[in-house]
Amino acid sequence: MKKFFVALLSLGVVAGAYSITFGVPAEVAQLWGGTPETADAAPPRRPGGGPRGQGRSTTVVLAPLEERSYTLVLRTVGSAVSLRRSTVVTTEAGEVVETALQANKRVEKGAVLLRLDDRTERLELEIAEANRDQVQDTVTRYKGLRQNGNAVVTDVALSEAEVALRLAKANVGLAEVALENRSLVAPISGRLGLSDVHAGDQLSSGDTIVTIDDTTMLLATFEVPERSIGLLAEGKPVLVTTPTYTGRVFQGRVTAFDSRLDSVTRSATVEAGIDNAEGLLLSGMTFAIRMTEETVPLPVVPATAITWDRTGAGIWVAEEGRTTRLPATIRYRDGDQVWIETEASLGTQVVVEGASKLREGAQVTTADLSRGPGA
């Protein structure tokens, strides 16, 4: 009997809770003599204050869609050599009798750097000049006799003398060249490198004497990966830095680049000229190289505005208090900013905070960010 009363009491509690939540059914109200609910009666309300069955709005932060250019930056490392450089080698063998090979000394084109023993060549030049003078006298005497009507000198004899004179002059020229070759001169203007050649050394033909670098303009060589090939163009500015001069940026321009990519590194070799009129940079230095380029303006949103689903990336836009998700293609990222391609027009209100809570067609309200936490 006790169990029966407990069950009856439980049934009464359940019935009361149902009546409070969903109302009393019309049939039961008629049996009790009450008035049933009509269509005009106000529907029951949810604890949140809205009518039962109607979704609550989501609070989000909106911002108009804007567009900005993105700065593409390529950072790479390269090394530089002098744009004009030369290695001086001997063309003759012999003993060094005089040198002017002071390291880092600036020399002008044509300056004498080294002299070899040239006593033999001077004697050969003297012999050639004497022979030329002798033949010249013979030609002059023959011509004088012919002018005076002397028939002893025939045309053949005069012609042979003139040919001999031409040969004698050519021998003088050869002797002069041989004598000049005993002196090595600077082929270009620039600064001398270190040399271990000294007076008294015996040199052979083809020995390296010294290097000369014209460092007023350096040629930097570096690699550009395949993804950045679009940055390459002759004359494009290049920014160069080196740990030797911290905080100093040197200017340069692309002068040439390879017509094909390396099959292993998938990069192209690029050359850039660097102005070094001050002479601060040296040939062989390693440089950090930077190239930049501004893209066309693209829509940009905070990273928090990007959401993902099985179709890919997208953004939520709000219109008349309801949201719609539009696909977006991410082009670039920089910190918390994302440059995208989307069909949304500029000025469209984009959900930049709270996007992860939204569903298609959801009702939203805008958060008042100007109010403090205690407002």
Side-chain angles (χ1 to χ4, degrees), residues 11 25 34 37-38 71 140 154 194 214 221-222 232 259 261 297 332:
L11 182 60
E37 290 183 2
T38 63
T71 303
T140 301
T154 64
L194 287 172
D214 181 2
T221 303
F222 53 95
L232 297 182
S259 60
L261 298 179
Y332 309 106

Side-chain angles (χ1 to χ4, degrees), residues 186-209:
I188 62 173
S189 300
R191 295 188 180 277
L192 297 176
L194 287 172
S195 176
D196 58 357
V197 177
H198 303 89
D201 291 346
Q202 286 288 337
L203 299 180
S204 301
S205 177
D207 287 347
T208 298
I209 301 302

Side-chain angles (χ1 to χ4, degrees), residues 90 95-101 111-116 181-185 195 197-198 203 209:
T90 58
E95 180 185 352
V96 178
V97 296
E98 181 183 347
T99 63
L101 302 175
V112 176
L113 304 177
L114 175 147
R115 294 185 187 277
L116 298 175
N181 287 341
R182 306 302 286 178
S183 298
L184 274 70
V185 299
S195 176
V197 177
H198 303 89
L203 299 180
I209 301 302

Side-chain angles (χ1 to χ4, degrees), residues 91-370:
T91 57
E92 304 288 336
E95 180 185 352
V96 178
V97 296
E98 181 183 347
T99 63
L101 302 175
Q102 182 179 351
N104 287 308
K105 176 184 178 182
R106 179 167 181 83
V107 295
E108 299 299 325
K109 181 179 179 180
V112 176
L113 304 177
L114 175 147
R115 294 185 187 277
L116 298 175
D117 183 8
D118 58 1
R119 290 175 295 178
T120 300
E121 287 73 21
R122 289 184 181 277
L123 290 174
E124 289 178 349
L125 175 60
E126 186 175 349
I127 294 171
E129 289 175 340
N131 183 55
R132 178 201 61 193
D133 293 343
Q134 183 180 14
V135 175
Q136 179 68 63
D137 290 342
T138 301
V139 171
T140 301
R141 186 172 66 256
Y142 282 1
K143 287 182 177 181
L145 292 173
R146 290 294 302 273
Q147 289 176 356
N148 295 329
N150 193 326
V152 175
V153 180
T154 64
D155 292 340
V156 174
L158 180 58
S159 177
E160 289 178 347
E162 291 176 341
V163 171
L165 178 60
R166 291 173 58 189
L167 291 174
K169 289 181 177 179
N171 287 331
V172 171
L174 290 174
E176 290 175 345
V177 171
L179 180 60
E180 289 177 358
N181 287 341
R182 306 302 286 178
S183 298
L184 274 70
V185 299
I188 62 173
S189 300
R191 295 188 180 277
L192 297 176
L194 287 172
S195 176
D196 58 357
V197 177
H198 303 89
D201 291 346
Q202 286 288 337
L203 299 180
S204 301
S205 177
D207 287 347
T208 298
I209 301 302
V210 71
T211 59
I212 303 178
D213 289 284
D214 181 2
T215 57
T216 56
M217 180 68 71
L218 297 183
L219 187 66
T221 303
F222 53 95
E223 301 293 320
V224 171
E226 182 177 0
R227 66 177 182 274
S228 301
I229 292 299
L231 292 175
L232 297 182
E234 289 190 15
K236 188 170 186 64
V238 174
L239 303 178
V240 178
T241 58
T242 173
T244 307
Y245 302 103
T246 304
R248 182 76 179 270
V249 179
F250 298 89
Q251 301 287 336
R253 291 188 179 276
V254 174
T255 58
F257 52 90
D258 206 345
S259 60
R260 62 180 62 182
L261 298 179
D262 186 276
S263 59
V264 177
T265 61
R266 308 306 303 169
S267 60
T269 302
V270 182
E271 293 181 345
I274 304 172
D275 184 15
N276 188 36
E278 299 180 49
L280 298 177
L281 305 177
L282 299 180
S283 178
M285 273 186 168
T286 299
F287 298 103
I289 298 173
R290 187 169 76 253
M291 298 175 65
T292 62
E293 182 175 350
E294 295 287 333
T295 68
V296 297
L298 290 171
V300 58
V301 296
T304 53
I306 303 295
T307 60
W308 298 84
D309 62 12
R310 63 175 179 271
T311 63
I315 58 174
W316 288 93
V317 299
E319 185 176 359
E320 296 181 355
R322 295 197 176 274
T323 56
T324 302
R325 190 176 188 274
L326 298 178
T329 301
I330 297 177
R331 293 290 305 276
Y332 309 106
R333 287 180 180 270
D334 185 12
D336 60 352
Q337 298 293 305
V338 181
W339 281 256
I340 62 174
E341 290 181 354
T342 180
E343 61 186 37
S345 58
L346 297 180
T348 301
Q349 294 294 320
V350 178
V351 178
V352 296
E353 290 187 22
S356 60
K357 302 179 293 182
L358 299 177
R359 297 293 182 269
E360 191 70 27
Q363 184 176 357
V364 294
T365 56
T366 305
D368 186 1
L369 298 181
S370 62

